[in-house]
Amino acid sequence: KTKWWKTYISSGWVTMDLITKLASGCRVATAHDVVINSECVFTFHTPYTTERGIVVNLSSFVGSTDELAFTCCEDGATDPKLFVRIVKKRVEKDASAMDTEKQGPETEPSKIGVGVEGGFQAEQDKYETSSSYSIVAIDKDGAVVADLPYSDTTKNEFPMNVAQSADSIIHHAGLSVKQDLTAWELDDEPKPVSNYAESLPFEDNGIKVSPNPSDWKCEKSGATDNLWLNLSDGFIGGGRKNWDGSGGSNGALDHFVETGEKYPLVVKLGTITEDVSTADCYSYAKDEDGPVKIPNLKELLEKRGIMVAGLQKTVKSTAELEVELNATYAFDAIVEKG
């Protein structure tokens, strides 16, 4: 008996119709789910290993190669399953781009860390990571029966639950990082509650933050990554510039200084979810100057039009970036230098 999905293909139906038919099986990963998005669980291939990278099941969140994808599916499954393909490669930055990053005032390192805000430059700061994604349907024989590019410009063409599932996997910290992050947090001092949270000044200036991440940018430099929202006046600025010129645009810290150091608390846009305790918060106050907890964060965000219900994480936190860089720094240095 011919399977329904083979009829789709033989009759000339476009692959999006097939993906739509399979969309009901997709799930959205939460911060508490185990997501394996950095390697194949069987072969330890990574998104960097080949041009096909790895595929992650949109239901079980298990990563694998194409050929082994169905091994992770439930027993007896015969219909194709949906996956997000993750492919990454490292591209060396050209000299002009590196010179541009080093322009502006230099700041001495303020924390022990490599390649993160306030830390030292990493070897991989010489490189940038190029990432590409696609939504694929794979049958039980490991054959790809649909493969459509997935990006900010194409995501609206996919069923909503497919796009939400793919985004939740792409931006998830992943199992290996979460395990290292737990160990890192156990070794580190717990984040204190900011002394400024309860009585934080709030400027009722009518500023509302767009729910669309593509609208966010540093109000000083126009940068669109590593963005921090000032919880007092709604200013969006880039993260700190490191001592060597790498890192963010420094817009958020500059704004804190320019406004008389009255508004010290910021939150990293893209790290806010329904579980607001996992958001990346920082205090620029001289007597704190570090990561903090803000118990009333939800209320402060609502004043800027940010409703946390349904929000998904779209960027990695500072702690997650530190763990990733610490895990790869020494290995990359050996590979690059022989």
Side-chain angles (χ1 to χ4, degrees):
K1 182 179 179 181
T2 303
K3 298 295 183 180
W4 65 265
W5 53 271
K6 290 187 176 180
T7 304
Y8 264 55
I9 297 172
S10 62
S11 62
W13 283 65
V14 295
T15 51
M16 185 61 78
D17 292 312
L18 176 59
I19 289 173
T20 301
K21 183 74 172 179
L22 298 169
S24 61
C26 297
R27 296 172 51 227
V28 176
T30 70
H32 305 290
D33 283 313
V34 174
V35 176
I36 304 173
N37 57 7
S38 61
E39 64 182 11
C40 168
V41 295
F42 304 105
T43 66
F44 303 109
H45 278 68
T46 76
Y48 297 91
T49 304
T50 71
E51 293 183 353
R52 291 192 300 169
I54 64 169
V55 292
V56 182
N57 190 298
L58 294 187
S59 177
S60 66
F61 313 136
V62 174
S64 66
T65 60
D66 291 12
E67 297 78 9
L68 297 171
F70 239 72
T71 308
C72 308
C73 298
E74 62 272 16
D75 293 338
T78 57
D79 292 344
K81 300 298 178 183
L82 290 182
F83 302 79
V84 57
R85 185 185 302 283
I86 303 175
V87 180
K88 296 184 179 183
K89 60 181 179 179
R90 297 177 70 207
V91 181
E92 189 169 5
K93 296 178 181 178
D94 57 51
S96 59
M98 294 182 68
D99 289 342
T100 299
E101 290 177 359
K102 291 185 178 181
Q103 291 177 0
E106 296 185 350
T107 305
E108 289 296 323
S110 59
K111 66 168 65 174
I112 299 175
V114 179
V116 295
E117 181 181 351
F120 295 89
Q121 183 184 26
E123 177 75 12
Q124 52 265 54
D125 284 340
K126 298 176 182 178
Y127 301 86
E128 54 190 1
T129 298
S130 172
S131 302
S132 60
Y133 310 97
S134 61
I135 303 299
V136 300
I138 299 177
D139 68 17
K140 66 182 182 65
D141 298 319
V144 175
V145 296
D147 193 332
L148 291 179
Y150 183 79
S151 66
D152 287 340
T153 57
T154 65
K155 69 168 55 179
N156 291 333
E157 300 172 8
F158 291 87
M160 181 179 295
N161 54 333
V162 173
Q164 290 178 339
S165 178
D167 284 344
S168 71
I169 291 170
I170 291 169
H171 300 299
H172 201 278
L175 177 61
S176 60
V177 171
K178 285 177 73 68
Q179 289 174 332
D180 287 344
L181 183 60
T182 300
W184 181 86
E185 288 176 338
L186 289 174
D187 291 340
D188 200 24
E189 294 182 6
K191 288 188 291 186
V193 173
S194 173
N195 295 323
Y196 300 88
E198 186 175 351
S199 58
L200 186 71
F202 181 83
E203 296 295 333
D204 190 8
N205 50 18
I207 293 177
K208 300 293 183 182
V209 178
S210 169
N212 186 358
S214 62
D215 293 334
W216 302 338
K217 62 181 179 180
C218 174
E219 295 180 39
K220 281 184 171 290
S221 68
T224 57
D225 58 353
N226 192 9
L227 299 175
W228 297 75
L229 171 69
N230 189 292
L231 293 170
S232 289
D233 63 4
F235 181 89
I236 297 176
R240 283 183 176 175
K241 183 184 292 293
N242 295 327
W243 67 278
D244 60 351
S246 63
S249 65
N250 222 57
L253 179 57
D254 289 345
H255 178 73
F256 167 67
V257 174
E258 292 167 1
T259 51
E261 302 186 356
K262 297 185 297 181
Y263 311 135
L265 301 186
V266 294
V267 60
K268 189 174 185 180
L269 290 174
T271 67
I272 304 165
T273 66
E274 291 186 24
D275 184 1
V276 291
S277 65
T278 63
D280 209 354
C281 300
Y282 198 92
S283 173
Y284 289 132
K286 291 181 178 178
D287 59 339
E288 292 181 333
D289 194 20
V292 294
K293 294 180 181 179
I294 303 176
N296 55 337
L297 178 60
K298 181 179 178 181
E299 291 74 19
L300 291 171
L301 292 171
E302 289 177 349
K303 292 180 180 180
R304 292 295 170 203
I306 300 177
M307 303 295 139
V308 300
L311 284 183
Q312 295 183 35
K313 188 176 178 182
T314 58
V315 300
K316 290 182 172 63
S317 69
T318 302
E320 290 164 355
L321 290 172
E322 285 185 359
V323 169
E324 284 189 344
L325 287 166
N326 288 338
T328 61
Y329 179 71
F331 175 77
D332 287 344
I334 292 172
V335 171
E336 295 296 331
K337 299 183 182 301

